[in-house]
Each structure stands twice: as structure tokens, then as C-alpha cells.
Amino acid sequence: MDRLSGSEVKNLLRERKLVLILDLDHTLINSTRLHDISAAEMDLGIQSAASKNDPDRSLFTLQGMCMLTKLRPFVRKFLEEASNMFEMYIYTMGFKAYAIEIAKLLDPGNVYFDSKVISNSDCTQQHQKGLDVVPGADSLAVVLDDTEYVWQKHKENLILMERYHYFAASCRHSGQSLSELMQDERESDGALATILDVLKRIHTIFFDLVIKRMRQEVLQGCKLVFSRVFPSDCRPQHQIMWKMAEQLGAVCCSEVDPSVTHVVAVHAGTEKARWAVKHKKFLLHPRWIEACNYRWHRQPEEDFPVPGLKEDKGKEKVAEIAHL
């Protein structure tokens, strides 16, 4: 919480968004060079399948790079839903040109990533990825990557992904590939669908905590006493106004003492109200608490006077003059 500063971070929090750093290879996609296509894959027509003009296809040819790329099942839905909760970055140890081409496949409408594509040329430490290249990410980032050792300085931000091996060249030491088996991860309960549920929980928990912390700072340092605000036959601790003040960070009590900073009343004629005036404490109307709650900021006390206060002061002045 202490690191949540700076305009970028504040803008993200205002939009209820965190930062999501996404690795490419073996996390969102799997790529292979054309000359690494196995004989079995060639017999299955995998290269021709990548050349079909089908808007829903997940297999693509990167002509200028002589590569095939397979999108991981559920990736499009994953990005769509994650974009509502996160500002997303691509972060790969690959070359910039390759990263940009893959970004075009994942985000053809340039809706999710825009220019937020980080490659090996952007890294500040050789063979390592770091959050120093993403503004505000140190305190707000979740990282999805299949390789742990490249995140030596930010392991606490990392969610380690199950590696996606679709092509034969990608799993030479682990039997047949998904492509050769003519299989794939299921969209409904594959790695990305599972991780999306985790990200939703992270987002909810984070903002629940942030909201609670921010609300508690509104009236932090205030000690309140209520004077005839609640019905006499009710426990004040159970009343909405009392609970609201506590949620805003105030300390509420039933009796006055020197540590009390505010007396909340609906009329200035009560004993506690007069005590507040005598001891130069804030005397204000309950609407002050409501206003603080609506605006998430401590409101000027003088804007919420208690009825009868001026008249009482006038009477005290007249009595003082008469005594003289």
C-alpha cells in the first residue's frame, strides 16, 4: 500500500485495474520454424491448415519469419475478460519484430496491448525480465510466465504457467506432440481458463483490501461522541451512522473525554454539545459523516453546523454583557 503512488498507479486504481504481464511462448502461444515441422505434422497437413483464410482459426503462418504459430485454446476469451481487470503488457525474451507480429495475431484490433509490447531489447539486465520497465508495476503487477528463473527479482509477482507444447519441435523429450496426436487443451478447463479464475479472485481480493484501507483513512485520527442522534432504547454500536463512522476510520465512544475530537448532534442544546463548545471541540451535524462517506474525503466541519448553535452563542453573549 505504501508503494501505491504516482499518477500511473492512481489512474489504474481509479479504473479498478491491476497490471498483467504476459509471456508469449509456451504461455499464450507455441511457435515453430517451418524447417522443424515433423514428418507426421507434414502428413497431417499442418502447414496448409495454417494458410486457410478462416477468421476463427488458431494456427498461423508468419511468412516473413518462416514460422508457424499456434494460439493456445481460450486465449481470445482470456484476453477479452482479463482486459476488464488489468492493463496488459506482452513481455517476451524474443525479438521485437517477432513480439509485434504475435501481438497482431492476439490483438488484431489493437484493443488490448497498443504499444505495450516489451522484448529482449527493452530488458535492463541480460537474460532477466524485470518490472522496472513497466510504470507502477512493482506494486500492482501479476506475471504469467512459464519460466521462473527469468524473474529472479520478482518471483512474488509470478504465477508459473503450465507450458504449452503444441508442435513436435517443442516437446522432443516428452513424447508425441499435441499436433501429432490431433489433440489440444480444452477451452473450458485448460490452463488459461483455470488461470482466469485465479486472476478474478486476485482482482477481487486486492480491491476489497484497497477499498477497506482507503475508506479507513477518511476519518483516521477522529474520535467521535454522538449526542441524542440515536433512539434512547437502542444500542448505539448497532446504528448505521456509528458503523459508518467506524468504517471511515473514526473511533466512536459513548462518553466525552479530553481525547474526543468531534461531537455529533442534531441540536446544540444537549449537554455534550455544550461540552464541545466549551472545550473547543468540533460540534457538527450527522450529515457530515454521510458527506465524508459519499466523497471518500474528510469534509470541512464548518459546513455542517448544528441547529441552535448560533442562538446559544448569542444568549451566552447577552448573559455575559448583562453580568458586566
Side-chain angles (χ1 to χ4, degrees), residues 153-165:
K153 293 184 178 180
H154 303 282
K155 288 184 179 181
E156 68 275 10
N157 299 77
L158 175 67
I159 295 178
L160 192 63
M161 291 291 295
E162 180 183 354
R163 293 174 71 87
Y164 182 51
H165 295 290

Side-chain angles (χ1 to χ4, degrees), residues 22-25 90-95 98-99 118-120 129:
L22 296 166
D23 174 53
L24 289 180
D25 294 285
I90 285 174
Y91 199 156
T92 177
M93 296 298 277
F95 293 111
Y98 170 71
I118 303 166
S119 65
N120 58 359
K129 295 180 177 180

